[in-house]
Amino acid sequence: MSDDVIMEIILESEQLRKEFGALVAVNDVSIKIRRHTIHSIIGANGAGKTTFFNLLTNNVEPTAGRVIFKGRDITRLPLHRIAHLGIGRSFQITNIFPNLTVLENVRLAAQALGKDNFRLLDHHRHFQRYEERAWQVIRQVGLTERARMPARTLPHGDQRKLEVGMILAPDPEILLLDEPTSGMAAEFVPEMIGLIRQIHRTGQKTILLVEHNMGLVMSISDYITVMHQGQILAEGTPEQIAANQVVQSAYLGRLGWQVSEQ
Amino acid sequence: MTGITNLLRKNRTQSITLAALVVLFLLALQGMEPSDWIITVLRGLSVAAVTFLVASGFSLIFGLMDVLNLAHGTLFMIGAYLGWTAYVRPDTLLDLATPFALFIAGLMLAPLWDAGLSRARVAMRAGRVLPWLILALGLGVLAFGLVRYPITAWDASVYDKSPVVFGVQLDLGQTDLPAPLTADRAQVILAMMSVFAGGALVALGLALNAARQRLAAPRVTWRALWLPLSLIVVGVLVYALNDALTAGVVAAGTTWRFCIAVIVATLAGAGLGALMESTLIRPLYARPIYQLMLTLGLGVIGREVVIALWGRTQMQMPKPALFNAMGKGCPAETLWDALINQCATINFMGTRIRTYNEIFIFVVGVIVLIVVWMLLQRTRIGMIIRAGVQDRAMVEALGINVRQVFTFVFALGVGLAALGGVLAGPSMGVSDDMGESLLLAGLIALAIGGLTSFPGAAAGSLLVGLLQQFIVKYGQIGIALPFGAQPFKPTPPLVPASTLLLMVIILLVMPNGLFGRRE
Amino acid sequence: MSNLLEVRDVHTFIGQFHILQGVTVTVPKGAITTLLGRNGAGKTTTLKTILGLTPPRTGQVIFDGREIQGQRTFEIAALGIGFVPDYRAIFRDLSVEENLRIAERKPGDLERKADLIFGLFPDLKRLIKLRGTQLSGGQQQMLAIARALVADNKLLLIDEPTEGLAPVLIEQMMQAILQLAAETTVLLVEQNFHVASQLAKHYVIIEEGRSVQSGVMADLLKDTATVRRYLGAA
Amino acid sequence: MKILRDHSTFLAVVVFLIAFPFLMALLDGQSIGAMLAGQSGNSKFYQGLLIEIFILGIFALSYDLLFGITGLLSFGHAMFFAVGAYTAGLALKSLKLPLPQTLGLVILAGIAQALLFSIVLPRVKGITFALVTLGFASVFHIVIMSHELNDLAGGDVGLQNIPKPDYLDPAAQRLTFYFVALAFTILVYLFYRRFVDSPTGRVCIAIRENEHRAQMLGYNTFYFKLVALIVSGITAALGGALHALYQPIVSPVTASLAYTVNALLIILIGGVGTLSGALVGAAVFRLLQFFLDKFFGESSSFILGVVYVALVLFLPYGIIGTWRAHRLEWQAAWRARFARVATMLNRKT
């Protein structure tokens, strides 16, 4: 789907490494994410996917290595600066403002990169562009009817959607989604896939996805990186990965789920 | 070696700050005589020991249950007051022993209530407020009984001497207790019964409160009745033999009385801690900020109760005979001589050291440090505590009653604070504001050491104690500053201020304290 | 055939969330039963509900002929239930030996069970003096299972024992669990259907907080439609 | 009209407070003229009590902004207040500055303290922040009590004989002072309401809810906490200045931990994070203190302590918080009750 787009690298890691005591969670991982692609990282639980994600966005400080975003070293940048560069990320464990309404959650996200954060004497409702943006995003993720509810009262699946909405609101260039379907009931997974596809297509965005729902990964990814025990096992298009012997034996094959032919 | 270099490189700011502090300290030592230095260090160690007794309880409680017990200073003070009473007015102690035993006997009916309630299935219907009402009713019945029970010290007609007088008298070597009260037997029996009933009602309230949260109760055996029954017997016996026991304790001399005081204060403190944890703190485990505020309030209440019972005056607590002799062979030349002659002071490197203040308190502090450390590292309960700090649910899933361990730790922490209070009595005097200064010192030591770390509490106390005493010393001899012509003499208020500054500096450089874990 | 554990239509709430909406599980004595289902279906919550870590609001849990729902966790565990959580919960500040020792219900349990434990996991003997933090993932998993074996447990609840392990270790872990099942009853949660199908004799499928199907594993293996519907890739 | 309806409670309270001195005088049988002339009487006395409540309320409001809204637990908040009080007192007494300049100085002092606290903000969090702020405040408390500053700050007695401007003398011009304090309190309250509803205030709430998430969205949370600290610092310092103007002595107690605890207690009574709760709490707190002192004397602080513990255990959301949570059910219940009574009455007729 992205044949005619220039294959420019937007985000890359160089020899990224993280040790927790004796455990090497991420072992010198180098990866290149091309602009406007959906790139998935798969691997068993504990393979180091989430830690790798945390290293990319500096939620966890790496032991060694670098992260480069659009040619710029962002390895140890403060969290808020990373967001300002146009990187949005979601978490495996839903990370929202539980006691605020859905609208307020998204509105805060939309307001974050604006220039009106320190207007002490104006009511926040007076800044309509944020409110409009928030409604737009809420419509996009399909939460219009629940916009006025406190976020904690939402069902789990809707909270996941809200989180995607919060990342989307400031209109980032790249979205890092950590298991967006984790804990979702099966019939809502296609909805999430549709949402991700739509975000990718309409916004011309790059999406980096950590997932272990194989079906989802195979059906929407342009590229797949397979991680195993903190290292990259294989990289390539879904077809290449499905055909890869090493992946077959170590992850997908004898001990794993059958790959669906979708 | 490489490990140390690595450590230094990784913690550069920390190392530089520590080095700067050490250099400053050494520079400050320039104008000091060696004998001054020794006595200051020894005094510092003694203050450190008392601070440690408070801070260790803090760190144990905070480490295991995330409760910053701001009532700790008050509990320290209560320990001092209880110790004072047992020491100076042993008759009051014995007067109180009977109602106390009966009250505890009543409390021990809790398991029976538990079983009974779950069988009757009333707990579910009891609601939120009823248990507390029963609790309050129980305390009321208890007060009703206590007022009627003959306690000499509380009797207005014998209250011709203020508590202060007894302390002064004892310092002169006299014990002149007022004649015991007499009361008619019917009234005493009524009082005893209502105290017991008060305990039973409090237990019922607690059981109701606990039972609301569960569906099934543990089985009880009749063996659970043995302990309360024997407590009742003991209580009645103490009442019958009250006069003889009082005479015996008075005759036993101050050293023994001091031992009794230490034991009574520590145990009472531990009991108070257990009661606090199981009634008030437990419902709030899910709301840490509220726990903080609750303990703050309890501290205020405790202080008011102490003022109501003992008055606002500062009271003397004479040193026990073992550390009080002045005459023959004193000041002693060696530690052994000091013990044999029961000397108050001892000659050491050209200065005179007080055996109680500078040696005894420090030794007790070290013993407590070692005992608690061994308890944590070598015993099963210590193992459970260390595990519980990390993962409460998993410990419970191994079949261990974590709540009991929590209560134990709380009791231990408060008991240590009370021990600190009674030890500090003879050296600091007993007053209602002693708790606040120790609360602050303990908090500072805890923060310096790293909140949850037990060795950290010891190190923090050491720093706080030494710094305090050095500032005090410089207040006397003055400190030669490079830029000032006159030596600078810090005034007493600067003593706590200096420790606070030390804390702020250390926390700014090492937000987790000296021994704290990251994150 | 008698059932060691019966979970009857339990409903569990965590906060306001209705996590389990009617789960029924029977665990026959002396075999491995496995809970299957997707991430977040409620398998782990089912284990926690049995143990009282997340007590059920309604429904019954019957262990060894006794109703245990609503009892405190330590009381339930002391009846003879061992728990191996998915996050392993190795105590960092305790040595390997202490990690085992803490599970003793009476003094000497560890010595009594030493042969069994070190027979299953010879590695642990070598590591006995190390701290919890110094272990690798696989070693932590072995220790977590070993810890559940120290006391005489009639039932082991094992959550995701092969998660994040290398294939070689998975093989080893499966062998160990099979050996265990010869002596005790096991209720297993396993994401990896391949592993689960080789280990378990009985299965229960949990979907969105409800138990939707249960039976004998051999039958399930033939029923590819069901496997795909509940467990396979979407 | 809509504004009137939406803010009816607020307006009613304001109207009542404006009318209060006159109502009191009428109830007491005092002529309005005598009351206006500032003659002693019940009205003057209760005006004084309300002024104290306003000052406490401002202090508690500033604490609510830090703790209730932004989620920063500080044990050194009393310092904000005391620095304002001492700065105002010293400026009037020792520097002989006129009032406007004094207030300017107080505002600067408030900002300076906020900056001092903010130095530690990026380093320490949670309970450690509370302890460090306690450290700052205690050092200040000790310093103003020290003998070296006896001539200046009055040692442990406090700062006395502060010259008050003639037009705002609390003894002679009590009514003026009352209205100034009332107006200032309303102003502060309205400003706080607006602040909480401003984009900045919303981010402060977000920080309380989930600071990590706020950072990931791109907020440099430090600046928002700094703004909250500065606003809170200035408000508390101005409250302190008002205190210095009103009270005959500025006691060093105003810098002690106990004074911070008062603020905590007040917002706990009123409801943490509700703003209006701070004012309601201040009223309840001061009146409770007043009547307990009157009836129980010595043991009043014991009873206050018991009330406090009971509040923590049984009413954790405070008066306003509980009211907001249950308002709808309660209103429905009352409506149902009225309806039942109405039907009963209907049946009878």
Side-chain angles (χ1 to χ4, degrees), chain A residues 45 152 212 254-255 257 262, chain C residues 39 164 191-192 194 231 234:
Chain A
N45 275 340
R152 72 185 136 78
H212 65 215
R254 197 168 52 85
L255 295 168
W257 301 96
Q262 276 182 331
Chain C
N39 243 357
Q191 270 291 320
N192 191 321
H194 231 81
L231 313 169

Side-chain angles (χ1 to χ4, degrees), chain B residues 77 80-81 306 311-315 428-435:
Chain B
M77 175 192 66
Y81 273 86
V306 164
R312 268 184 195 280
T313 43
Q314 174 157 5
M315 302 189 297
M428 283 173 58
V430 178
S431 65
D432 59 282
D433 54 6
M434 67 194 292

Side-chain angles (χ1 to χ4, degrees), chain A:
Chain A
M1 65 183 76
S2 47
D3 292 349
D4 47 314
V5 180
I6 311 153
M7 285 299 173
E8 177 199 349
I9 307 296
I10 181 164
L11 180 70
E12 63 180 307
S13 72
E14 281 179 6
Q15 300 288 310
L16 214 48
R17 182 179 184 82
K18 180 67 194 177
E19 298 165 9
F20 295 107
L23 191 80
V24 183
V26 173
N27 194 350
D28 297 338
V29 171
S30 300
I31 193 173
K32 287 181 164 56
I33 316 293
R34 291 173 176 84
R35 192 184 279 275
H36 302 320
T37 55
I38 297 183
H39 192 130
S40 299
I41 299 176
I42 59 171
N45 275 340
K49 295 168 299 186
T50 296
T51 309
F52 178 64
F53 244 47
N54 284 337
L55 293 175
L56 287 181
T57 49
N58 197 27
N59 287 85
V60 169
E61 208 169 289
T63 313
R66 297 203 303 160
V67 182
I68 293 158
F69 177 67
K70 295 204 288 186
R72 181 176 167 189
D73 189 337
I74 61 159
T75 317
R76 283 180 175 81
L77 229 48
L79 295 180
H80 60 91
R81 295 279 300 282
I82 288 182
H84 277 268
L85 292 175
I87 301 174
R89 99 155 260 205
S90 75
F91 290 83
Q92 192 175 358
I93 295 158
T94 312
N95 192 347
I96 53 180
F97 303 114
N99 289 316
L100 306 183
T101 62
V102 169
L103 174 63
E104 192 58 22
N105 266 284
V106 182
R107 207 193 57 76
L108 275 165
Q111 179 197 312
L113 305 186
K115 293 198 171 14
D116 305 302
N117 288 332
F118 290 102
R119 302 274 290 268
L120 300 194
L121 293 175
D122 293 299
H123 199 285
H124 65 273
R125 284 284 152 75
H126 297 169
F127 301 93
Q128 286 192 353
R129 57 183 171 285
Y130 303 132
E131 194 127 338
E132 275 163 19
R133 173 68 186 153
W135 279 112
Q136 193 185 340
V137 170
I138 287 172
R139 269 195 300 278
Q140 194 175 351
V141 297
L143 288 175
T144 316
E145 276 142 48
R146 302 183 193 256
R148 306 267 180 207
M149 285 165 66
R152 72 185 136 78
T153 61
L154 256 52
H156 182 80
D158 285 352
Q159 290 191 0
R160 303 292 313 178
K161 283 191 215 158
L162 170 59
E163 204 178 358
V164 173
M166 285 170 76
I167 303 164
L168 201 56
D171 205 24
E173 280 187 66
I174 179 165
L175 287 85
L176 279 64
L177 307 177
D178 193 352
E179 301 208 16
T181 64
S182 94
M184 264 182 152
E187 60 254 45
F188 298 119
V189 172
E191 232 177 285
M192 186 56 97
I193 298 177
L195 182 61
I196 293 172
R197 272 212 179 104
Q198 183 211 354
I199 291 168
H200 174 244
R201 208 172 295 143
T202 56
Q204 284 293 298
K205 301 206 184 305
T206 315
I207 290 174
L208 181 60
L209 199 66
V210 158
E211 208 19 278
H212 65 215
N213 185 330
M214 282 301 298
L216 193 157
V217 167
M218 287 296 174
S219 66
I220 71 172
S221 306
D222 299 318
Y223 293 96
I224 294 176
T225 301
V226 184
M227 277 185 79
H228 190 73
Q229 293 192 295
Q231 285 172 309
I232 292 179
L233 195 66
E235 239 174 338
T237 60
E239 296 75 29
Q240 289 168 334
I241 292 297
N244 188 313
Q245 283 300 313
V246 187
V247 177
Q248 283 282 327
S249 63
Y251 176 58
L252 302 170
R254 197 168 52 85
L255 295 168
W257 301 96
Q258 303 299 311
V259 179
S260 78
E261 291 81 34
Q262 276 182 331

Side-chain angles (χ1 to χ4, degrees), chain C residues 75-114:
Chain C
E75 293 166 336
I76 295 174
L79 293 174
I81 300 182
F83 181 43
V84 183
D86 51 349
Y87 64 105
R88 293 162 196 157
I90 298 304
F91 301 117
R92 285 188 302 260
D93 286 353
L94 271 56
S95 68
V96 169
E97 183 184 349
E98 284 175 320
N99 262 294
L100 294 170
R101 189 73 71 186
I102 195 172
E104 285 186 338
R105 298 224 175 92
K106 43 187 187 295
D109 270 353
L110 180 58
E111 281 73 18
R112 216 158 36 78
K113 293 297 204 66

Side-chain angles (χ1 to χ4, degrees), chain C residues 21 54 70 82 106 117 146 223:
Chain C
Q21 313 176 5
T54 54
K106 43 187 187 295
I117 290 170
D223 186 1

